[in-house]
Amino acid sequence: KRRMCMKKVKIIGISLIAILLLSVGGFLIWSSITYKPTEELMGEVTKFDLQSTNEDLIWEGSNGTGIILYAGAKVEHAAYAYYAEQLAQQGYTVILPSIRLNFALLDANAAEEYINLYPEIDTWIVGGHSLGGVAAAMFAQNHDDVDGLILLGSYPSESSNLSKDSINVLSLYAQFDGLTSLEDIETSKALLPPDTTFIEIQGGNHAQFGMYGEQKGDQKATISAKQQQDIMVEDTINWLEAMHKK
């Protein structure tokens, strides 16, 4: 009986290891099938060759404010390069970190490296798109040196309650977002400071918070990707300028 019991334990152990390996392997395959920057985006960005997307993308500015943006799940960070470069042209240091396995929740502390790398920057803002925004909110909650948070089609998880924090927050959401609903945005208000700036992008959708083409589950936008990006840039710059005047 003891031998039979040991045999059953061994079989169960092997089965659990096999399931774990299959799960890890499945996740690695899933995360490797990414949304890549569009040809339109690559034609708009001047600083980098966006074909090489494995390295961090950094635009160094001179106005003492740094912005670190996390990509959405399975989206290559270069897909946000137009938005980043337009902000950088206003003097901001903008950083798009290359996220481990293209899944920001696994790399939520990536911003810490850059905050340490640029001690001359006295104002830090973190942000992100979709799950990247969730990760950015987690980071902001745990780091007092973060002054601002930018959410792009995103909202904090229930564990990242910032409602009583003295942090400046911008939440940009889109009319036809099929992955972050208007109900999600409304619910998120209880987790964010009372003075959070909420702006709806009319005609926009989820995927056009980056420039990587269509995304499964999204709705159809009635404005172009570049139009949505330009609205994002304008709204973000206005928010940044208002933040600095406080």
Side-chain angles (χ1 to χ4, degrees):
K1 287 184 178 179
R2 183 179 177 185
R3 190 174 294 174
M4 286 288 290
C5 184
M6 291 295 291
K7 188 175 181 180
K8 285 182 180 179
V9 170
K10 186 176 181 181
I11 291 170
I12 292 171
I14 292 171
S15 298
L16 290 174
I17 291 170
I19 291 169
L20 178 62
L21 290 174
L22 286 171
S23 299
V24 171
F27 176 77
L28 291 175
I29 292 170
W30 174 82
S31 66
S32 68
I33 303 171
T34 58
Y35 292 100
K36 301 180 183 299
T38 61
E39 291 290 336
E40 179 186 15
L41 168 59
M42 290 191 278
E44 292 285 351
V45 174
T46 59
K47 182 174 172 61
F48 295 100
D49 174 9
L50 298 182
Q51 304 274 1
S52 304
T53 56
N54 292 329
E55 297 180 357
D56 302 334
L57 302 176
I58 301 174
W59 291 259
E60 293 187 347
S62 58
N63 67 6
T65 298
I67 304 169
I68 302 168
L69 298 170
Y70 292 168
K74 297 181 63 177
V75 182
E76 295 186 4
H77 63 307
Y80 304 90
Y82 178 78
Y83 176 62
E85 187 164 272
Q86 294 301 304
L87 295 178
Q89 288 177 1
Q90 302 300 313
Y92 298 99
T93 293
V94 186
I95 300 165
L96 300 178
S98 179
I99 296 298
R100 193 186 323 163
L101 297 177
N102 302 298
F103 200 71
L105 291 179
L106 298 177
D107 222 1
N109 287 323
E112 192 165 16
E113 174 186 348
Y114 299 100
I115 291 174
N116 294 331
L117 189 62
Y118 291 95
E120 69 276 13
I121 291 178
D122 51 31
T123 301
W124 280 106
I125 294 155
V126 296
H129 174 219
S130 197
L131 279 177
V134 177
M138 290 170 56
F139 183 86
Q141 184 189 37
N142 296 317
H143 292 80
D144 293 336
D145 45 7
V146 173
D147 304 285
L149 173 66
I150 297 173
L151 299 170
L152 305 174
S154 183
Y155 52 92
S157 66
E158 290 186 8
S159 62
S160 299
N161 191 331
L162 300 166
S163 60
K164 292 181 169 55
D165 290 20
S166 59
I167 186 173
N168 300 280
V169 182
L170 170 65
S171 176
L172 296 179
Y173 59 101
Q175 182 182 9
F176 298 117
D177 192 323
L179 299 174
T180 299
S181 68
L182 298 180
E183 183 181 351
D184 292 330
I185 297 299
E186 190 63 33
T187 301
S188 75
K189 291 180 179 180
L191 298 171
L192 295 169
D195 61 350
T196 294
T197 300
F198 290 91
I199 301 176
E200 181 180 33
I201 298 179
Q202 295 291 316
N205 70 2
H206 192 79
Q208 290 184 174
F209 280 109
M211 294 180 74
Y212 54 87
E214 296 181 358
Q215 186 167 0
K216 185 177 180 181
D218 204 5
Q219 296 185 55
K220 187 172 180 58
T222 57
I223 59 176
S224 70
K226 187 171 182 302
Q227 284 176 313
Q228 182 163 336
Q229 293 283 305
D230 287 336
I231 292 169
M232 289 162 54
V233 170
E234 182 178 1
D235 289 339
T236 303
I237 290 171
N238 289 340
W239 173 78
L240 287 165
E241 290 176 349
M243 186 185 82
H244 284 299
K245 289 177 182 176
K246 284 184 177 181

